Amino acid sequence: MKKIVIALAMGITAISSMATTSMKFTVNGMVCSFCAQGIEKSLAKMGATKEVFVDLKKKTVAVEAKDGQVLDAKAISAEIVDAGYDVVKIETVMQSVAEIKAELKSRK
């Protein structure tokens, strides 16, 4: 019985470590590729950030955490607001930025 519990615990840990945590921000005020590029650069410099994607048409900024890191929604929001944009919605999702990007592009 003890071996089964240990195996289950190890399996759950392996599954949860494979899940990618990202955050999606709905942002108003982005109107051009220069806006997107500025946000991408500033968020990419943050320590926990692995990847950033900005979709101007969908007003979405997606940020993926590095393995073992946790994203700070307040810090990311502050970066976006300091750049001159309005954050209107924040979501934590269990998707990679690549998956978010593919999902947004399929909705066009």
Side-chain angles (χ1 to χ4, degrees):
M1 181 68 151
K2 189 176 182 179
K3 288 181 182 179
I4 294 172
V5 171
I6 291 171
L8 272 171
M10 290 176 66
I12 291 170
T13 302
I15 290 169
S16 66
S17 66
M18 291 186 329
T20 304
T21 303
S22 299
M23 298 191 93
K24 286 173 40 177
F25 297 81
T26 303
V27 179
N28 286 336
M30 301 183 300
V31 294
C32 65
S33 61
F34 185 72
C35 299
Q37 188 177 36
I39 290 173
E40 286 176 358
K41 282 186 178 183
S42 66
L43 297 182
K45 292 179 184 177
M46 298 179 83
T49 302
K50 178 179 178 179
E51 190 173 353
V52 180
F53 170 70
V54 178
D55 186 315
L56 292 172
K57 290 181 182 179
K58 303 286 185 190
K59 299 180 180 183
T60 301
V61 175
V63 183
E64 182 177 337
K66 290 179 182 173
D67 293 338
Q69 297 285 319
V70 177
L71 296 171
D72 182 347
K74 287 183 182 180
I76 295 169
S77 291
E79 283 287 327
I80 294 169
V81 170
D82 287 347
Y85 309 102
D86 296 317
V87 176
V88 294
K89 184 177 177 185
I90 303 170
E91 298 175 76
T92 300
V93 295
M94 298 307 290
Q95 295 176 292
S96 68
V97 164
E99 292 168 329
I100 294 168
K101 189 184 217 180
E103 179 184 309
L104 291 171
K105 290 189 181 245
S106 70
R107 289 193 218 164
K108 287 186 175 182

